[in-house]
Amino acid sequence: MIHPQMQGCVQNCQQCHAICTETAQHCVQKGGKHAEADHIRLLLDCAQICQTSSDFMLRGSPLHTRTCGICAEICMACAEACEQLGKEDSMMKRCAEMCRRCAESCHQMAHAKA
């Protein structure tokens, strides 16, 4: 059984994985700057590291602090990118908010005692 703070981080990672994956599809359909390769790559990188961090925590890996550390960094970069593109786009705003929430919880897990 994992402790509540870690369970919250797992849930944030899983939700962030889902919204980044959905947002990548949204951006491809929207086109223009939203569909630029660097932006799509960042969304997919964020989704993947969130899934990886979630998996590390769920199986009790002592290395979860390391995956959570890089996850926090990538989530912040993704949040900033989505905010820049999402002034009038609710999907981009939702993605940025979720990425920030995930970054915060992963940052806490990265600095927690193993």
Side-chain angles (χ1 to χ4, degrees):
M1 188 76 181
I2 61 177
H3 63 79
Q5 183 183 18
M6 186 179 286
Q7 182 61 43
C9 189
V10 166
Q11 289 171 348
N12 284 334
C13 284
Q14 291 171 342
Q15 290 171 1
C16 196
H17 170 266
I19 198 163
C20 285
T21 302
E22 290 173 38
T23 301
Q25 180 64 24
H26 169 78
C27 288
V28 167
Q29 290 175 345
K30 192 160 178 125
K33 289 187 178 205
H34 286 77
E36 287 181 358
D38 286 347
H39 182 65
I40 299 299
R41 185 180 309 110
L42 180 56
L43 284 164
L44 297 178
D45 284 352
C46 192
Q48 187 66 59
I49 193 63
C50 286
Q51 185 66 55
T52 299
S53 289
S54 173
D55 290 348
F56 271 55
M57 288 182 281
L58 286 170
R59 67 178 166 254
S61 173
L63 299 173
H64 81 271
T65 56
R66 297 179 68 187
T67 61
C68 285
I70 193 66
C71 189
E73 183 180 325
I74 294 170
C75 282
M76 283 306 295
C78 194
E80 290 167 10
C82 286
E83 283 170 351
Q84 288 178 355
L85 291 172
K87 309 273 188 259
E88 304 297 323
D89 187 326
S90 63
M91 183 76 182
M92 302 303 287
K93 288 179 185 175
R94 282 182 37 231
C95 188
E97 289 168 7
M98 188 67 242
C99 286
R100 285 196 185 282
R101 188 162 52 246
C102 189
E104 178 58 34
S105 63
C106 278
H107 180 76
Q108 290 173 4
M109 291 309 304
H111 294 92
K113 300 277 189 244

